[in-house]
């Protein structure tokens, strides 16, 4: 049996009234950002008109993109994009169902922004997690947990339910490994419930953040597998203690320490662990994080919101100010903040969840790429010297 097949198969009333009043007052007066938005320099410049898309690839209402969820740079310098098939329905949760051959979810661009290839039609219902390993292979998660979306069955051309899986895919588009059982959610060692992110360690170990908000299994954990897909361990539960999570929305493994960085979104913190799951740090200074990335120089990049958000919730409405969301850059060892790139759009009009930088990557030249779910865009920034 192949690895892919084996992995797949597996008080008095007055007191109560008083307490309720206190709770109500508390919830109303504590709708504050976890930390103030920092004032930091911005040494980055937005690169206009990047990338170039074929005329046949177009987002809704003649916009350039639909929801772009992740971006990563391959070892050869090319930029890979994971997006929701030039679609924005349902808003903030767009689907790839029935989008056709002209709307592939995986795209590869060269540094100049020219499209090199695309594939993945029929593989995903709800693209979410994404990375590229040292060999150039692509890793994805599909966080769909619905049997139907917009009245359409969430099935692939073979009639199999899509979602709840991690795929390893070759640069040519061939599925090399599947972890999880398509369409089946759960809390077992080979089951996910709305997996949000995937990252690969230097030795090939596979790390998965599992438990997008509102999943039926109440999952909120990090799972670790060997390079051939064998379950090693899991850590974290639903909660706010160190090592627990409320919506682990993204993760990255890297930097000089090889630490595991987790965007623990509804706890308004980035948590840091070693690769055995031992707690290292929890950082609140990055606001409410949706994306996390660490470069080879130990810089950490976080897609964050500093909007007022009640504890245990994700930002689900337009922001109070036009630039309450940003990419925040700091030191990946100490957590010290360095820079802040404000979102370029007027986010008072935005209705999507979290930050509009839901995926971040940096190339060897220091250029920064942001997958923009909120404004349906893919952004490139150059570093001003």
């Amino acid at each position: 049996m192949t690895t892919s097949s084996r992995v797949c198969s597996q008080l008095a009333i007055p007191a109560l009234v008083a307490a309720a009043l206190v709770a109500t007052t508390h919830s109303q007066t504590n709708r504050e950002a976890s930390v103030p938005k920092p004032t930091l320099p911005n040494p980055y410049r937005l690169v206009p008109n990047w990338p170039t898309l074929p005329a046949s690839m177009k987002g809704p209402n003649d916009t350039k993109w639909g929801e772009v969820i992740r971006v990563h740079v391959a070892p050869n310098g090319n930029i890979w994009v994971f997006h929701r098939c030039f679609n924005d329905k349902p808003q903030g949760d767009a689907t790839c169902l029935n989008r056709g051959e002209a709307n592939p979810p995986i795209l590869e661009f060269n540094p100049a922004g020219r499209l090199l290839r695309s594939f993945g039609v029929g593989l995903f219902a709800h693209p979410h997690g994404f990375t590229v390993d040292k060999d150039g292979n692509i890793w994805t998660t599909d966080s769909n947990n619905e049997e139907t979306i917009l009245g359409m069955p969430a099935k692939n051309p073979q009639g199999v339910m899509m979602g709840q899986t991690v795929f390893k895919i070759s640069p040519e588009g061939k599925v090399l490994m599947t972890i999880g059982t398509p369409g089946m959610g759960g809390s077992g060692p080979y089951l996910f419930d709305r997996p949000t992110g995937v990252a690969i360690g230097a030795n090939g170990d596979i790390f998965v953040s599992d438990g997008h908000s509102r999943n039926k299994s109440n999952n909120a954990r990090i799972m670790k597998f060997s390079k051939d897909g064998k379950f090693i361990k899991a850590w974290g539960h639903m909660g706010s203690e160190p090592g627990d999570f409320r919506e682990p929305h993204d993760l990255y493994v890297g930097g000089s320490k090889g630490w595991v960085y987790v965007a623990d979104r509804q706890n308004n913190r980035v948590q840091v662990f070693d690769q055995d799951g031992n707690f290292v740090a929890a950082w609140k200074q990055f606001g409410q994080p949706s994306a996390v990335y660490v470069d080879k120089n130990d810089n950490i990049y976080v897609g964050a919101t500093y909007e007022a958000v009640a504890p245990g919730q994700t930002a689900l409405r337009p922001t109070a100010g036009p630039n309450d969301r940003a990419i925040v850059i700091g030191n990946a060892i100490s957590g010290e903040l360095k820079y802040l790139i404000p979102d370029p759009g007027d986010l008072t009009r935005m209705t999507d969840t979290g930050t509009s930088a839901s995926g971040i990557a940096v190339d060897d030249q220091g250029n920064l790429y942001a997958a923009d779910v909120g404004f349906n865009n893919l952004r490139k920034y150059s570093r001003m010297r």
Side-chain angles (χ1 to χ4, degrees), residues 82-83 85 95-101 103-106 118-128 130 138-144 154-170 172-178 182-183:
F82 197 35
H83 72 125
C85 301
T95 184
C96 276
L97 294 180
N98 294 345
R99 294 295 294 159
E101 294 293 328
N103 299 285
I106 299 175
S118 59
F119 52 78
V121 172
L123 279 179
F124 308 97
H126 187 237
H128 208 285
F130 186 72
I138 296 147
W139 296 79
T140 67
T141 79
D142 187 334
S143 61
N144 176 58
K155 295 182 178 181
N156 64 18
Q158 291 73 45
V160 177
M161 198 72 68
M162 292 183 288
Q164 309 288 36
T165 50
V166 172
F167 289 150
K168 177 183 181 181
I169 306 172
S170 75
E172 295 73 38
K174 180 181 178 180
V175 176
L176 304 175
M177 183 190 298
T178 302

Side-chain angles (χ1 to χ4, degrees), residues 60-177:
N61 303 314
D62 290 330
T63 57
K64 191 173 182 179
W65 292 91
E67 293 179 356
V68 188
I69 184 66
R70 294 285 195 264
V71 59
H72 267 278
V73 180
N76 65 2
N78 289 339
I79 297 91
W80 288 88
V81 179
F82 197 35
H83 72 125
R84 293 168 182 167
C85 301
F86 298 98
N87 195 16
D88 65 351
K89 298 290 184 290
Q91 190 176 52
D93 253 342
T95 184
C96 276
L97 294 180
N98 294 345
R99 294 295 294 159
E101 294 293 328
N103 299 285
I106 299 175
L107 309 173
E108 181 189 20
F109 297 91
N110 68 11
R114 181 169 62 87
L115 181 66
L116 302 177
R117 57 182 148 185
S118 59
F119 52 78
V121 172
L123 279 179
F124 308 97
H126 187 237
H128 208 285
F130 186 72
T131 196
V132 181
D133 67 23
K134 64 182 180 181
D135 298 317
N137 295 306
I138 296 147
W139 296 79
T140 67
T141 79
D142 187 334
S143 61
N144 176 58
N145 66 342
E146 302 291 339
E147 294 184 4
T148 61
I149 305 172
L150 301 176
M152 298 179 289
K155 295 182 178 181
N156 64 18
Q158 291 73 45
V160 177
M161 198 72 68
M162 292 183 288
Q164 309 288 36
T165 50
V166 172
F167 289 150
K168 177 183 181 181
I169 306 172
S170 75
E172 295 73 38
K174 180 181 178 180
V175 176
L176 304 175
M177 183 190 298

Side-chain angles (χ1 to χ4, degrees), residues 237-253:
H237 303 85
M238 181 66 69
S240 57
E241 295 300 315
D244 287 336
F245 307 97
R246 291 188 185 275
E247 194 179 34
H249 195 262
D250 190 21
L251 83 168
Y252 191 80
V253 179

Side-chain angles (χ1 to χ4, degrees), residues 37 42 322-327 340-345 347 379 381:
K37 180 183 174 183
N42 176 18
N323 287 310
D324 288 341
R325 308 181 193 207
I327 298 169
L340 183 146
I341 307 172
D343 276 58
L347 293 168
R379 293 181 263 139
Y381 294 91

Side-chain angles (χ1 to χ4, degrees), residues 6-319:
R6 176 177 48 76
V7 170
C8 283
S9 56
Q10 313 280 341
L11 243 214
I13 291 175
L16 285 172
V17 171
L21 287 171
V22 169
T24 301
T25 302
H26 183 273
S27 65
Q28 289 174 345
T29 59
N30 282 282
R31 291 194 68 85
E32 300 174 355
S34 56
V35 294
K37 180 183 174 183
T39 300
L40 298 164
N42 176 18
Y44 290 87
R45 175 180 61 87
L46 185 65
V47 177
N49 302 317
W50 191 97
T52 302
L53 283 169
S56 61
M57 292 184 180
K58 191 178 296 184
N61 303 314
D62 290 330
T63 57
K64 191 173 182 179
W65 292 91
E67 293 179 356
V68 188
I69 184 66
R70 294 285 195 264
V71 59
H72 267 278
V73 180
N76 65 2
N78 289 339
I79 297 91
W80 288 88
V81 179
F82 197 35
H83 72 125
R84 293 168 182 167
C85 301
F86 298 98
N87 195 16
D88 65 351
K89 298 290 184 290
Q91 190 176 52
D93 253 342
T95 184
C96 276
L97 294 180
N98 294 345
R99 294 295 294 159
E101 294 293 328
N103 299 285
I106 299 175
L107 309 173
E108 181 189 20
F109 297 91
N110 68 11
R114 181 169 62 87
L115 181 66
L116 302 177
R117 57 182 148 185
S118 59
F119 52 78
V121 172
L123 279 179
F124 308 97
H126 187 237
H128 208 285
F130 186 72
T131 196
V132 181
D133 67 23
K134 64 182 180 181
D135 298 317
N137 295 306
I138 296 147
W139 296 79
T140 67
T141 79
D142 187 334
S143 61
N144 176 58
N145 66 342
E146 302 291 339
E147 294 184 4
T148 61
I149 305 172
L150 301 176
M152 298 179 289
K155 295 182 178 181
N156 64 18
Q158 291 73 45
V160 177
M161 198 72 68
M162 292 183 288
Q164 309 288 36
T165 50
V166 172
F167 289 150
K168 177 183 181 181
I169 306 172
S170 75
E172 295 73 38
K174 180 181 178 180
V175 176
L176 304 175
M177 183 190 298
T178 302
I179 311 178
T181 300
M184 183 179 295
S187 56
Y190 292 104
L191 291 173
F192 307 109
D193 206 339
R194 308 197 70 196
T196 57
V198 56
I200 310 301
N203 66 349
D205 284 350
I206 306 156
F207 297 81
V208 181
S209 50
D210 181 39
H212 199 289
S213 183
R214 296 182 182 179
N215 67 82
K216 298 172 185 176
S217 304
N218 209 35
N219 287 358
R221 59 183 179 169
I222 305 302
M223 301 180 72
K224 179 180 180 179
F225 301 87
S226 66
K227 63 182 180 181
D228 56 354
K230 295 178 181 177
F231 176 77
I232 297 176
K233 69 183 305 178
W235 71 87
H237 303 85
M238 181 66 69
S240 57
E241 295 300 315
D244 287 336
F245 307 97
R246 291 188 185 275
E247 194 179 34
H249 195 262
D250 190 21
L251 83 168
Y252 191 80
V253 179
S256 62
K257 301 288 188 181
W259 285 342
V260 181
Y261 298 82
V262 183
D264 185 10
R265 186 155 78 169
Q266 291 188 3
N267 278 325
N268 301 303
R269 65 190 180 187
V270 172
Q271 290 205 77
V272 188
F273 305 88
D274 67 18
Q275 292 191 23
D276 291 321
N278 296 306
F279 176 82
V280 174
W283 295 331
K284 293 271 191 176
Q285 61 269 34
F286 291 96
Q288 183 173 93
S290 285
V292 60
Y293 177 83
V294 176
D295 68 16
K296 63 182 181 180
N297 299 312
D298 283 329
N299 295 302
I300 183 172
Y301 304 78
V302 178
T305 178
Y306 290 92
E307 180 190 355
V309 180
Q313 292 185 9
T314 305
L316 295 171
R317 58 197 179 280
T319 67

